[in-house]
């Protein structure tokens, strides 16, 4: 949601979150439980406005490409087609 709103995301390397953020390009990641790593990421974005802006733009573009209405429709159709092929239809 942050990336879609043009805000750089800072996420922990857990679950599906890490697959959504390209570290140091569309957002930042840190290890779970690493409060110092999270704080470092927050401070870096606060201090480096150009980097923050570039990251926000990259994140928004990534979300628009991966999760646009047309992109989601294409992904669901591709999934259905692959499932039908697997069943031999």
């Amino acid at each position: 949601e942050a990336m879609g709103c043009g805000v750089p995301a800072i996420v922990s390397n857990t679950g599906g979150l890490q697959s959504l953020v390209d570290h140091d390009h569309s957002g930042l990641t840190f290890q779970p439980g690493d409060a110092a790593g999270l704080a470092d990421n927050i401070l870096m974005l606060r201090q480096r406005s150009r980097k923050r802006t570039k990251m926000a733009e990259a994140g928004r573009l990534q979300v628009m490409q991966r999760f646009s209405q047309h992109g989601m429709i294409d992904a669901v159709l591709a999934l259905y087609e692959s499932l039908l092929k697997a069943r031999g239809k």
Side-chain angles (χ1 to χ4, degrees):
E1 292 173 355
M3 292 166 60
C5 292
V7 176
I10 302 174
V11 302
S12 64
N13 287 329
T14 58
L17 295 176
Q18 63 190 355
S19 67
L20 297 175
V21 174
D22 182 11
H23 179 74
D24 209 34
H25 177 69
S26 61
L28 297 169
T29 60
F30 65 96
Q31 293 300 318
D34 182 9
L38 172 59
D40 289 344
N41 286 338
I42 293 169
L43 289 173
M44 189 275 293
L45 287 178
R46 183 170 185 246
Q47 295 167 352
R48 297 179 62 193
S49 64
R50 183 171 293 167
K51 177 81 169 174
R52 183 177 62 240
T53 300
K54 288 180 89 171
M55 216 177 272
E57 291 169 355
R60 179 145 171 76
L61 179 62
Q62 181 179 320
V63 167
M64 297 306 290
Q65 289 173 340
R66 289 180 68 185
F67 301 108
S68 70
Q69 184 177 19
H70 293 294
M72 296 300 289
I73 290 169
D74 290 344
V76 169
L77 288 175
L79 173 63
Y80 286 165
E81 289 172 0
S82 70
L83 292 172
L84 288 172
K85 280 185 181 179
R87 290 187 68 193
K89 295 189 176 191

